[in-house]
Amino acid sequence: MHSGLSRRLGRSAAAPEGALLGTDQVTDWLAERRRAHRFQVDRIPFAGLDGWTSAPDTGNLTHRSGRFFSVEGVDVTVAGGPVPHWQQPIIRQPEVGILGILAKEFDGVLHFLMQAKMEPGNRNLLQLSPTVQATRSNYTKVHNGTAVRYLEHFTGRGRGRVLADVLQSEHGSWFLRKANRNVLVETDEEVPVHDDFRWLTLGQIGRLLRLDNLVNMDSRTVLAGLPALSAEHSLARALHTDAELLSWITVQRARHEVRVEALPLAEVADWHRTPTTIERTDGRYFRVVAVAVEAGNREVTGWTQPLIEPTGRGVTAFLTRRFDGVRHLLVHARVEAGLLDVLELAPTVQCVPENYAHLAPAHRPPYLDEILTAGPGRILYEAVHSEEGGRFLNAESRYLVVEADPGAPPEPPEGYLWITPGQLGTLAQHARYVNVQARTLLACLNSGSVRNC
């Protein structure tokens, strides 16, 4: 099955134009969908939140239904880490959502049903999202909204062939142990296509991934799980066997002692609350804000909610180099407070540089300066992508794949390892190995966005 699926996915990735919509027409279609609906997001004070309360005993922000999510505090200790102890607000959302993409063949080429979806945290509001992108509270209609379109293909039995289905983490710095079901299903049924949806090939999505803020995070994480493309690459000779790689991950997890304890939001040290924000006293990292939303094409057309707003644009990058002609990526075993299994494989660099500007170079994240000073000839991929727009406001990162300095020693420092894209893709087919930022860049690799890879 894998080899046949690999060939079909390869044909789709090699198809820069689709059978139903030209690639150059996608941005016009998105612009038309923006005009077709009313979208507006306004900052409001916390007192203006409708249906949300600040719990009198803890200060935690919670919804009156007891569902959706809450903003709480955590106390974090990472023994031996560069920052051994801190406290912060964090989003607790224990329910598992569905991120699902429906696939179907047209003219012998696999196409994927993508949605023009508004999310309040996106700087440009409307981006290309999966067929279904819904929390359990959304699709069980806790908000008394309309039904989620095409949900039956991902919850009903016998509605199609499952190509991939895995629970994956979300941002471990801002979510506490949050997971979503990432699923791809192929159908042979006739599928009525709503105006907010279009069929696109993998090659078309790959071309669109080269554009800023067009393909959303949820689409990227699902496409990272494409099984057969990564299986093809795994035949290449890697520096480390799969058994050695899994052992290295286990050792990395075992060597880090991480303790995360619940803390009332009102008691989080070094953070203060104003009528409109909850933020650090030094202004770094992120703040919690509140917004009022109007969205004409959502299941509910108006609501209010808290959002996390980072204080700067991130830089997220893989260094890459060839060993005996085989492409490798430099992964980082990154500890994050919200992850269920201590750490996951992350890109070489994943940070907001401004948060480290006050530190001496020796205390800045490894490889950050190499990424920031790389010349155009070494950059194989670069685009600005939004992070999760349903919970984060204006959260963007500059995503890159950069050829490593050929003069740099090949042996990386502790916590870093050279692995092949195929090995990373194989791990992404399983839960809690590859973090959401690394999965974005893996989606770019799977769809042909990265040159010379």
Side-chain angles (χ1 to χ4, degrees):
M1 176 182 173
H2 257 209
S3 60
L5 180 57
S6 177
R7 288 193 294 272
R8 297 172 65 217
L9 288 167
R11 286 198 298 272
S12 186
E17 296 295 335
L20 303 170
L21 183 70
T23 308
D24 292 339
Q25 296 174 298
V26 173
T27 54
D28 291 338
W29 167 65
L30 287 171
E32 184 272 324
R33 298 323 297 159
R34 287 189 189 95
R35 293 190 296 269
H37 302 286
R38 175 174 170 78
F39 299 125
Q40 185 162 332
V41 178
D42 295 310
R43 294 173 187 263
I44 60 174
F46 291 120
L49 287 169
D50 180 23
W52 294 82
T53 60
S54 180
D57 54 339
T58 63
N60 294 348
L61 292 171
T62 59
H63 193 262
R64 65 187 168 201
S65 67
R67 302 288 294 277
F68 297 106
F69 66 95
S70 59
V71 182
E72 306 178 7
V74 287
D75 181 279
V76 184
T77 302
V78 181
V83 180
H85 177 259
W86 72 92
Q87 296 179 353
Q88 66 168 90
I90 202 163
I91 295 174
R92 182 188 291 271
Q93 187 174 336
E95 62 185 33
V96 174
I98 294 177
L99 306 178
I101 296 181
L102 192 62
K104 181 178 170 68
E105 273 199 4
F106 295 92
D107 296 340
V109 177
L110 270 178
H111 288 60
F112 301 89
L113 188 60
M114 308 302 291
Q115 178 183 179
K117 187 178 181 70
M118 180 274 190
E119 293 178 284
N122 291 339
R123 196 178 296 278
N124 59 349
L125 294 181
L126 200 72
Q127 296 187 10
L128 209 59
S129 84
T131 317
V132 168
Q133 177 185 319
T135 65
R136 182 179 293 275
S137 292
N138 287 142
Y139 67 76
T140 57
K141 302 183 185 178
V142 171
H143 49 32
N144 297 316
T146 59
V148 175
R149 291 186 179 89
Y150 307 110
L151 180 66
E152 66 276 9
H153 292 279
F154 304 96
T155 57
R157 300 184 64 179
R159 295 301 301 269
R161 293 178 295 280
V162 175
L163 305 183
D165 199 348
V166 61
L167 287 179
Q168 294 287 18
S169 63
E170 290 209 27
H171 294 74
S173 293
W174 297 333
F175 278 114
L176 184 62
R177 298 172 182 170
K178 173 75 171 71
N180 277 322
R181 181 181 171 215
N182 288 219
V183 56
L184 286 130
V185 172
E186 183 181 3
T187 185
D188 295 323
E189 296 180 8
E190 290 297 320
V191 180
V193 178
H194 184 272
D195 287 343
D196 288 335
F197 295 77
R198 288 293 184 269
W199 293 102
L200 301 174
T201 69
L202 185 57
Q204 288 181 288
I205 298 170
R207 288 178 61 186
L208 297 169
L209 276 165
R210 295 172 182 161
L211 303 178
D212 292 349
N213 286 323
L214 197 146
V215 180
N216 84 350
M217 187 217 76
D218 300 287
S219 297
R220 301 188 311 257
T221 181
V222 177
L223 294 172
L226 290 172
L229 287 181
S230 56
E232 235 178 29
H233 287 298
S234 68
L235 298 175
R237 186 161 58 88
L239 282 177
H240 308 281
T241 67
D242 290 346
E244 290 169 342
L245 172 56
L246 289 171
S247 176
W248 181 80
I249 295 170
T250 302
V251 168
Q252 293 299 315
R253 285 176 170 166
R255 66 183 285 265
H256 291 283
E257 182 181 346
V258 180
R259 187 176 73 248
V260 180
E261 298 180 348
L263 183 72
L265 184 59
E267 297 179 14
V268 175
D270 299 321
W271 292 70
H272 69 282
R273 184 168 182 157
T274 74
T276 57
T277 65
I278 302 170
E279 58 189 332
R280 277 178 60 101
T281 53
D282 61 10
R284 293 207 297 268
Y285 300 109
F286 66 90
R287 61 180 71 93
V288 182
V289 299
V291 295
V293 184
E294 293 182 45
N297 68 342
R298 292 288 296 262
E299 294 84 12
V300 171
T301 56
W303 70 93
T304 64
Q305 68 171 92
L307 289 171
I308 279 181
E309 182 180 31
T311 57
R313 176 182 286 179
V315 171
T316 304
F318 271 126
L319 282 177
T320 180
R321 68 186 299 172
R322 294 185 182 274
F323 294 91
D324 294 331
V326 177
R327 176 70 66 187
H328 283 67
L329 306 169
L330 185 59
V331 297
H332 177 207
R334 181 181 174 87
V335 175
E336 293 182 295
L339 296 177
L340 188 61
D341 282 338
V342 179
L343 60 79
E344 294 181 0
L345 298 188
T348 319
V349 170
Q350 178 188 314
C351 70
V352 175
E354 289 83 354
N355 290 333
Y356 302 89
H358 63 292
L359 299 177
H363 296 100
R364 287 156 60 86
Y367 302 105
L368 174 59
D369 291 335
E370 180 174 352
I371 294 295
L372 294 179
T373 59
R378 289 172 52 198
I379 297 175
L380 307 185
Y381 175 84
E382 180 177 13
V384 173
H385 292 304
S386 296
E387 305 301 338
E388 211 281 285
R391 299 292 178 264
F392 312 141
L393 179 63
N394 298 331
E396 297 174 315
S397 290
R398 179 185 172 215
Y399 279 87
L400 303 105
V401 178
V402 177
E403 286 279 8
D405 181 350
E411 188 63 30
E414 177 64 44
Y416 293 79
L417 193 72
W418 290 104
I419 70 173
T420 67
Q423 288 177 308
L424 187 68
T426 298
L427 288 173
Q429 295 166 41
H430 303 277
R432 302 195 295 273
Y433 278 106
V434 182
N435 82 354
V436 68
Q437 289 90 346
R439 294 198 304 272
T440 278
L441 289 170
L442 184 58
C444 296
L445 287 161
N446 279 347
S447 60
S449 292
V450 184
R451 63 184 177 91
N452 299 329
C453 277

